[in-house]
Amino acid sequence: MTSLPTAKTTLPTAQLGTTDMHISRIGFGAWAIGGSGWRYTWGAQDDADSIATIRRAVESGVNWIDTAAVYGLGHSEEVVGKAIAGLSEADRPYVFTKAGLVWDENDRAAAPKRIMAADSVRREVEDSLRRLDVERIDLYQVHWPDTGASLDFSDPDGVADAQRTPLEEYWQTMADLVKEGKVRAIGLSNHDVPQLEIAESIAHVDAIQPQFSLIKRQAADELAWAAAHHTGGIIYQPQHSGLLTGAFSAERVANLPDDDWRKGFPEFTTELAANLALVEALRPIAAAHHTTVSAVAIAWTLTWPGVTGAIVGARNPEQVDGWIDGATLQLTPADLDAIAAALRATGAGEGPIGR
């Protein structure tokens, strides 16, 4: 494939912070297309299916792709590079990627380490530019704060060791990459408000990327910070790893492949009943709008102050068709009240319910 199709549909867009990029309210998330063979895989994935899925997203009006070096240990970036091959910067979707999770090629099943030392970041950006086959990355993000520890979703703060790079140092490295023309804009993923304040004192934070969904709502403070500082807010997992698509059941969770990272996590085990009850409460809202549960869950995140766009993953074109309405769905005040009531009744998730 030498070129992506022209968008057949126009989606609403919003300016990403103070950058010159106006992004569709939904972007394509490329975590799952990294395939198998690493610690946080979603299972085996066919590259041809991945490229067809990216094509469907672009045809549907999506104008940005979010990936990371660590997804598939470089493989997701390679697939994205193949999908956009031959396109000029002006013609291709915006490409966002991330640095700071470094893996061991001799032990690909091991958890990657959170490292943002300057020499490591500079190696990473060159590798990402090569894999993506672009001259400049549109948004380069720090994936997690540097602790020097291995990434462990059950203990996301990790344990710092003597190799930790101070935020002031690694954010200056990121700012230098902009000056050098290797990246267009810089952002911080999974950083809290005090960390954002430190970074902003050194160079403007163009975008943040927190996890945010009906189930995980704790990033409200970070999104409020973004709104107050003219910083773009792109949120990840608005479908909460598939739980909010309406396609999950206890039986499906039990039958997830053993190498699927979701198997064994609380949202899919001890908290599953409440999460599935929330999904059932969303079905009447979806039906009233002649759309999907996925679209309702995504549209809810887009109503939240500070959210510029939502990253939504897919592994086949049909999944794109299932969530694309989320970019245009207008939830009514009555819908929002019903969703808030469902959150209270089911006890699903964590974080504030109202704005």
Side-chain angles (χ1 to χ4, degrees):
M1 184 182 71
T2 58
S3 63
L4 283 171
T6 302
K8 297 178 180 178
T9 305
T10 300
L11 295 181
T13 62
Q15 185 178 5
L16 183 66
T18 58
T19 74
D20 61 355
M21 292 181 279
H22 286 74
I23 63 172
S24 50
R25 297 301 307 279
I26 289 180
F28 181 82
W31 179 0
I33 69 171
S36 59
W38 66 296
R39 179 65 168 266
Y40 294 115
T41 176
W42 295 63
Q45 175 71 13
D46 183 83
D47 290 350
D49 288 343
S50 299
I51 291 173
T53 305
I54 293 172
R55 290 175 64 91
R56 180 66 61 84
V58 172
E59 288 176 343
S60 302
V62 171
N63 73 350
W64 54 289
I65 300 169
D66 182 86
T67 184
V70 77
Y71 297 160
L73 310 187
H75 190 64
S76 175
E77 287 187 332
E78 291 172 346
V79 173
V80 171
K82 291 176 183 177
I84 64 173
L87 297 178
S88 68
E89 183 175 287
D91 294 331
R92 63 167 171 76
Y94 298 125
V95 176
F96 302 167
T97 193
K98 312 177 196 75
L101 290 180
V102 179
W103 62 91
D104 182 354
E105 281 290 355
N106 295 317
D107 186 4
R108 292 170 64 89
K113 290 189 174 181
R114 292 160 55 168
I115 299 173
M116 280 296 296
D119 59 346
S120 181
V121 173
R122 289 188 172 280
R123 283 195 300 272
E124 284 207 73
V125 75
E126 296 299 336
D127 287 343
S128 289
L129 287 166
R130 172 180 51 79
R131 286 189 291 256
L132 292 164
D133 194 21
V134 296
E135 294 183 359
R136 180 175 67 163
I137 293 164
D138 294 303
L139 177 66
Y140 202 43
Q141 302 156 97
V142 181
H143 210 149
W144 287 86
D146 184 338
T147 64
S150 297
L151 179 66
D152 182 351
F153 286 164
S154 65
D155 180 21
D157 292 332
V159 179
D161 65 17
Q163 302 302 311
R164 179 175 181 176
T165 304
L167 189 155
E168 294 89 339
E169 292 184 19
Y170 67 72
W171 191 241
Q172 184 61 59
T173 300
M174 296 288 283
D176 291 343
L177 294 178
V178 177
K179 295 175 184 176
E180 295 163 17
K182 295 184 183 296
V183 306
R184 185 176 190 169
I186 50 177
L188 291 165
S189 179
N190 300 304
H191 285 62
D192 62 24
V193 169
Q195 292 167 328
L196 297 175
E197 289 284 3
I198 292 170
E200 185 70 12
S201 71
I202 297 163
H204 181 52
V205 179
D206 292 311
I208 64 168
Q209 187 184 137
Q211 182 183 24
F212 190 68
S213 72
L214 280 163
I215 293 173
K216 290 291 185 182
R217 308 181 297 274
Q218 298 96 319
D221 288 346
E222 286 72 29
L223 292 168
W225 184 94
H229 289 80
H230 307 289
T231 291
I234 55 175
I235 58 100
Y236 68 89
Q237 291 193 347
Q239 299 180 115
H240 205 80
S241 308
L243 275 177
L244 297 174
T245 62
F248 265 88
S249 63
E251 181 181 10
R252 181 177 175 186
V253 171
N255 289 326
L256 285 173
D258 289 340
D259 66 347
D260 190 312
W261 72 271
R262 296 170 292 183
K263 198 164 190 176
F265 274 76
E267 296 96 320
F268 290 84
T269 55
T270 57
E271 301 167 11
L272 182 62
N275 293 333
L276 293 180
L278 173 62
V279 169
E280 291 308 308
L282 298 180
R283 291 190 191 278
I285 300 171
H289 289 278
H290 306 288
T291 190
T292 62
V293 169
S294 289
V296 172
I298 294 163
W300 180 88
T301 68
L302 295 178
T303 68
W304 201 278
V307 175
T308 309
I311 301 165
V312 189
R315 301 178 66 179
N316 58 63
E318 292 71 29
Q319 289 180 346
V320 174
D321 297 341
W323 51 246
I324 197 67
D325 280 358
T328 53
L329 176 60
Q330 296 294 312
L331 296 174
T332 67
D335 294 332
L336 296 174
D337 288 344
I339 292 170
L343 289 170
R344 293 188 184 96
T346 62
E350 302 173 84
I353 291 173
R355 286 144 181 78

mmCIF file with all atom_site columns, all heavy atoms in Angstrom, residues 250-258 263:
data_model
loop_
_atom_site.group_PDB
_atom_site.id
_atom_site.type_symbol
_atom_site.label_atom_id
_atom_site.label_alt_id
_atom_site.label_comp_id
_atom_site.label_asym_id
_atom_site.label_entity_id
_atom_site.label_seq_id
_atom_site.pdbx_PDB_ins_code
_atom_site.Cartn_x
_atom_site.Cartn_y
_atom_site.Cartn_z
_atom_site.occupancy
_atom_site.B_iso_or_equiv
_atom_site.pdbx_formal_charge
_atom_site.auth_seq_id
_atom_site.auth_comp_id
_atom_site.auth_asym_id
_atom_site.auth_atom_id
_atom_site.pdbx_PDB_model_num
ATOM 1  N N   . ALA A 1 250 ? -19.004 -11.974 31.344 1.00 0.00 ? 250 ALA A N   1
ATOM 2  C CA  . ALA A 1 250 ? -18.131 -12.738 32.233 1.00 0.00 ? 250 ALA A CA  1
ATOM 3  C C   . ALA A 1 250 ? -17.509 -13.916 31.489 1.00 0.00 ? 250 ALA A C   1
ATOM 4  O O   . ALA A 1 250 ? -16.332 -14.257 31.707 1.00 0.00 ? 250 ALA A O   1
ATOM 5  C CB  . ALA A 1 250 ? -18.921 -13.218 33.436 1.00 0.00 ? 250 ALA A CB  1
ATOM 6  N N   . GLU A 1 251 ? -18.276 -14.540 30.621 1.00 0.00 ? 251 GLU A N   1
ATOM 7  C CA  . GLU A 1 251 ? -17.761 -15.679 29.865 1.00 0.00 ? 251 GLU A CA  1
ATOM 8  C C   . GLU A 1 251 ? -16.635 -15.256 28.927 1.00 0.00 ? 251 GLU A C   1
ATOM 9  O O   . GLU A 1 251 ? -15.607 -15.936 28.826 1.00 0.00 ? 251 GLU A O   1
ATOM 10 C CB  . GLU A 1 251 ? -18.888 -16.313 29.046 1.00 0.00 ? 251 GLU A CB  1
ATOM 11 C CG  . GLU A 1 251 ? -18.443 -17.523 28.236 1.00 0.00 ? 251 GLU A CG  1
ATOM 12 C CD  . GLU A 1 251 ? -19.579 -18.120 27.409 1.00 0.00 ? 251 GLU A CD  1
ATOM 13 O OE1 . GLU A 1 251 ? -20.646 -17.481 27.319 1.00 0.00 ? 251 GLU A OE1 1
ATOM 14 O OE2 . GLU A 1 251 ? -19.376 -19.217 26.861 1.00 0.00 ? 251 GLU A OE2 1
ATOM 15 N N   . ARG A 1 252 ? -16.805 -14.106 28.253 1.00 0.00 ? 252 ARG A N   1
ATOM 16 C CA  . ARG A 1 252 ? -15.756 -13.652 27.341 1.00 0.00 ? 252 ARG A CA  1
ATOM 17 C C   . ARG A 1 252 ? -14.475 -13.330 28.102 1.00 0.00 ? 252 ARG A C   1
ATOM 18 O O   . ARG A 1 252 ? -13.373 -13.642 27.643 1.00 0.00 ? 252 ARG A O   1
ATOM 19 C CB  . ARG A 1 252 ? -16.212 -12.427 26.552 1.00 0.00 ? 252 ARG A CB  1
ATOM 20 C CG  . ARG A 1 252 ? -15.148 -11.960 25.571 1.00 0.00 ? 252 ARG A CG  1
ATOM 21 C CD  . ARG A 1 252 ? -15.568 -10.799 24.722 1.00 0.00 ? 252 ARG A CD  1
ATOM 22 N NE  . ARG A 1 252 ? -14.455 -10.349 23.908 1.00 0.00 ? 252 ARG A NE  1
ATOM 23 C CZ  . ARG A 1 252 ? -14.480 -9.274  23.134 1.00 0.00 ? 252 ARG A CZ  1
ATOM 24 N NH1 . ARG A 1 252 ? -15.578 -8.540  23.051 1.00 0.00 ? 252 ARG A NH1 1
ATOM 25 N NH2 . ARG A 1 252 ? -13.419 -8.925  22.438 1.00 0.00 ? 252 ARG A NH2 1
ATOM 26 N N   . VAL A 1 253 ? -14.619 -12.707 29.264 1.00 0.00 ? 253 VAL A N   1
ATOM 27 C CA  . VAL A 1 253 ? -13.432 -12.403 30.074 1.00 0.00 ? 253 VAL A CA  1
ATOM 28 C C   . VAL A 1 253 ? -12.712 -13.692 30.452 1.00 0.00 ? 253 VAL A C   1
ATOM 29 O O   . VAL A 1 253 ? -11.484 -13.793 30.378 1.00 0.00 ? 253 VAL A O   1
ATOM 30 C CB  . VAL A 1 253 ? -13.820 -11.609 31.332 1.00 0.00 ? 253 VAL A CB  1
ATOM 31 C CG1 . VAL A 1 253 ? -12.636 -11.493 32.287 1.00 0.00 ? 253 VAL A CG1 1
ATOM 32 C CG2 . VAL A 1 253 ? -14.321 -10.215 30.946 1.00 0.00 ? 253 VAL A CG2 1
ATOM 33 N N   . ALA A 1 254 ? -13.476 -14.693 30.854 1.00 0.00 ? 254 ALA A N   1
ATOM 34 C CA  . ALA A 1 254 ? -12.879 -15.966 31.253 1.00 0.00 ? 254 ALA A CA  1
ATOM 35 C C   . ALA A 1 254 ? -12.128 -16.631 30.102 1.00 0.00 ? 254 ALA A C   1
ATOM 36 O O   . ALA A 1 254 ? -11.168 -17.381 30.325 1.00 0.00 ? 254 ALA A O   1
ATOM 37 C CB  . ALA A 1 254 ? -13.957 -16.901 31.777 1.00 0.00 ? 254 ALA A CB  1
ATOM 38 N N   . ASN A 1 255 ? -12.550 -16.334 28.873 1.00 0.00 ? 255 ASN A N   1
ATOM 39 C CA  . ASN A 1 255 ? -11.953 -16.975 27.704 1.00 0.00 ? 255 ASN A CA  1
ATOM 40 C C   . ASN A 1 255 ? -10.891 -16.120 27.018 1.00 0.00 ? 255 ASN A C   1
ATOM 41 O O   . ASN A 1 255 ? -10.414 -16.476 25.933 1.00 0.00 ? 255 ASN A O   1
ATOM 42 C CB  . ASN A 1 255 ? -13.046 -17.329 26.688 1.00 0.00 ? 255 ASN A CB  1
ATOM 43 C CG  . ASN A 1 255 ? -13.925 -18.468 27.170 1.00 0.00 ? 255 ASN A CG  1
ATOM 44 O OD1 . ASN A 1 255 ? -13.458 -19.382 27.852 1.00 0.00 ? 255 ASN A OD1 1
ATOM 45 N ND2 . ASN A 1 255 ? -15.206 -18.414 26.835 1.00 0.00 ? 255 ASN A ND2 1
ATOM 46 N N   . LEU A 1 256 ? -10.495 -14.999 27.640 1.00 0.00 ? 256 LEU A N   1
ATOM 47 C CA  . LEU A 1 256 ? -9.416  -14.206 27.063 1.00 0.00 ? 256 LEU A CA  1
ATOM 48 C C   . LEU A 1 256 ? -8.147  -15.050 26.973 1.00 0.00 ? 256 LEU A C   1
ATOM 49 O O   . LEU A 1 256 ? -7.876  -15.868 27.853 1.00 0.00 ? 256 LEU A O   1
ATOM 50 C CB  . LEU A 1 256 ? -9.135  -12.968 27.922 1.00 0.00 ? 256 LEU A CB  1
ATOM 51 C CG  . LEU A 1 256 ? -10.141 -11.817 27.837 1.00 0.00 ? 256 LEU A CG  1
ATOM 52 C CD1 . LEU A 1 256 ? -9.814  -10.748 28.880 1.00 0.00 ? 256 LEU A CD1 1
ATOM 53 C CD2 . LEU A 1 256 ? -10.148 -11.201 26.443 1.00 0.00 ? 256 LEU A CD2 1
ATOM 54 N N   . PRO A 1 257 ? -7.337  -14.861 25.927 1.00 0.00 ? 257 PRO A N   1
ATOM 55 C CA  . PRO A 1 257 ? -6.082  -15.627 25.837 1.00 0.00 ? 257 PRO A CA  1
ATOM 56 C C   . PRO A 1 257 ? -5.196  -15.373 27.052 1.00 0.00 ? 257 PRO A C   1
ATOM 57 O O   . PRO A 1 257 ? -5.233  -14.292 27.649 1.00 0.00 ? 257 PRO A O   1
ATOM 58 C CB  . PRO A 1 257 ? -5.433  -15.063 24.559 1.00 0.00 ? 257 PRO A CB  1
ATOM 59 C CG  . PRO A 1 257 ? -6.556  -14.469 23.778 1.00 0.00 ? 257 PRO A CG  1
ATOM 60 C CD  . PRO A 1 257 ? -7.548  -13.961 24.780 1.00 0.00 ? 257 PRO A CD  1
ATOM 61 N N   . ASP A 1 258 ? -4.409  -16.363 27.393 1.00 0.00 ? 258 ASP A N   1
ATOM 62 C CA  . ASP A 1 258 ? -3.557  -16.233 28.569 1.00 0.00 ? 258 ASP A CA  1
ATOM 63 C C   . ASP A 1 258 ? -2.558  -15.091 28.445 1.00 0.00 ? 258 ASP A C   1
ATOM 64 O O   . ASP A 1 258 ? -2.108  -14.544 29.466 1.00 0.00 ? 258 ASP A O   1
ATOM 65 C CB  . ASP A 1 258 ? -2.794  -17.543 28.818 1.00 0.00 ? 258 ASP A CB  1
ATOM 66 C CG  . ASP A 1 258 ? -3.718  -18.649 29.313 1.00 0.00 ? 258 ASP A CG  1
ATOM 67 O OD1 . ASP A 1 258 ? -4.812  -18.324 29.818 1.00 0.00 ? 258 ASP A OD1 1
ATOM 68 O OD2 . ASP A 1 258 ? -3.348  -19.826 29.174 1.00 0.00 ? 258 ASP A OD2 1
ATOM 69 N N   . LYS A 1 263 ? -6.301  -9.950  31.374 1.00 0.00 ? 263 LYS A N   1
ATOM 70 C CA  . LYS A 1 263 ? -6.732  -11.084 32.184 1.00 0.00 ? 263 LYS A CA  1
ATOM 71 C C   . LYS A 1 263 ? -6.086  -10.997 33.572 1.00 0.00 ? 263 LYS A C   1
ATOM 72 O O   . LYS A 1 263 ? -4.872  -10.933 33.710 1.00 0.00 ? 263 LYS A O   1
ATOM 73 C CB  . LYS A 1 263 ? -6.344  -12.393 31.501 1.00 0.00 ? 263 LYS A CB  1
ATOM 74 C CG  . LYS A 1 263 ? -7.110  -13.598 32.022 1.00 0.00 ? 263 LYS A CG  1
ATOM 75 C CD  . LYS A 1 263 ? -6.983  -14.770 31.061 1.00 0.00 ? 263 LYS A CD  1
ATOM 76 C CE  . LYS A 1 263 ? -7.922  -15.892 31.432 1.00 0.00 ? 263 LYS A CE  1
ATOM 77 N NZ  . LYS A 1 263 ? -7.889  -17.001 30.465 1.00 0.00 ? 263 LYS A NZ  1
#
